[in-house]
Amino acid sequence: MAKLPATHFLREVRLNRATVPSFDEYPFNLSAIRTLDRLAFHPNVTFLVGENGSGKSTLVEAIAVALGLNAEGGNKNYNFATRATHSELYRHLVTVRGWTRPWDTFFLRAETFYNVASYVEQIGGGAATAYGDRPLHELSHGESFFALFRERFRGQGLYLLDEPESALSPMRQLAMLRILDDHVNDCSQFIIATHSPILLAYPRAWIYELGPKGPERVEYERTEPFRIYRDFINRHPLMLRSILKADPDRTEIADDK
């Protein structure tokens, strides 16, 4: 398959600030949105990382809806809504696309993937078999996520993932890195909101950390998930004593050596 140009499928999104009703109201009061002008994407993988409530999931969801994808997950043909909870942000985003179009698109929203599985089961046919030999509801939560990555993604696609690690063990997250790389080599582009220091280690990527100043490009070792996990693993007795205000006589927590 021929390689795509560096612009790839989605080059950037811009916030049409002139149409925003108020930056004091949700979702425009979120730090990631309030300061947003434009957000450029890596042609392979772009990660969004930030504390809960920073706006990363809201932003990924809005980009997905602006591209015509179902707000609860799926592609443009998934026509269902369990409950309309997505924000109005998508109405104020301008998507700047490359000159090629993806063969495949999909939005994974971890918290509503159960609804996607139910919809796939309901419509049956090719939609159901696209995820493998077993129905999604017969798989564990983690196995169903893995079936999506392994079976449903078809290559040369644009994929938006919101916290895909939420159902995956650390070992499966490592396996997902291999699948991610296989799809990137098959000319796919990913935009991923995540807390996983394992996924964030993928080398052909940009990482945006969403903080008080909005989205800022950072290196892997400077991300909060990397620093917190590294410090906890290397100094967990000391950190546990600090977090739990542990009694030094308690034997459950070993002395820091």
Side-chain angles (χ1 to χ4, degrees), residues 105-168:
T105 54
F106 201 94
F107 172 42
L108 167 66
R109 185 179 177 185
E111 64 181 341
T112 54
F113 189 65
Y114 180 91
N115 302 338
V116 172
S118 297
Y119 179 74
V120 168
E121 185 178 77
Q122 176 186 342
I123 61 178
T129 58
Y131 293 85
D133 297 332
R134 296 176 59 191
L136 291 172
H137 279 316
E138 292 184 9
L139 303 174
S140 72
H141 196 35
E143 287 174 326
S144 65
F145 272 44
F146 220 64
L148 168 68
F149 308 141
R150 187 181 57 244
E151 305 288 347
R152 169 57 186 78
F153 290 176
R154 302 188 179 111
Q156 206 165 46
L158 174 59
Y159 303 113
L160 293 90
L161 313 180
D162 180 25
E163 300 185 4
E165 77 280 4
S166 61
L168 301 180

Side-chain angles (χ1 to χ4, degrees), residues 19-85:
T19 66
V20 172
S22 172
F23 283 98
D24 295 324
E25 299 177 0
Y26 177 84
F28 307 102
N29 60 348
L30 297 173
S31 58
I33 312 303
R34 189 175 60 250
T35 59
L36 181 64
D37 180 27
R38 59 183 290 272
L39 189 67
F41 299 114
H42 192 283
N44 299 138
V45 180
T46 301
F47 290 112
L48 303 180
V49 62
E51 188 52 79
N52 294 336
S54 62
K56 61 185 183 302
S57 294
T58 301
L59 184 54
V60 170
E61 174 195 82
I63 295 170
V65 177
L67 292 171
L69 302 176
N70 187 281
E72 292 188 36
N75 61 27
K76 296 180 180 180
N77 297 323
Y78 281 41
N79 185 22
F80 74 95
T82 307
R83 183 182 178 189
T85 59

Side-chain angles (χ1 to χ4, degrees), residues 165-184:
E165 77 280 4
S166 61
L168 301 180
S169 69
M171 187 62 71
R172 281 300 178 101
Q173 290 180 47
L174 290 171
M176 183 183 169
L177 281 177
R178 176 60 182 269
I179 294 175
L180 178 67
D181 191 55
D182 287 343
H183 285 300
V184 166

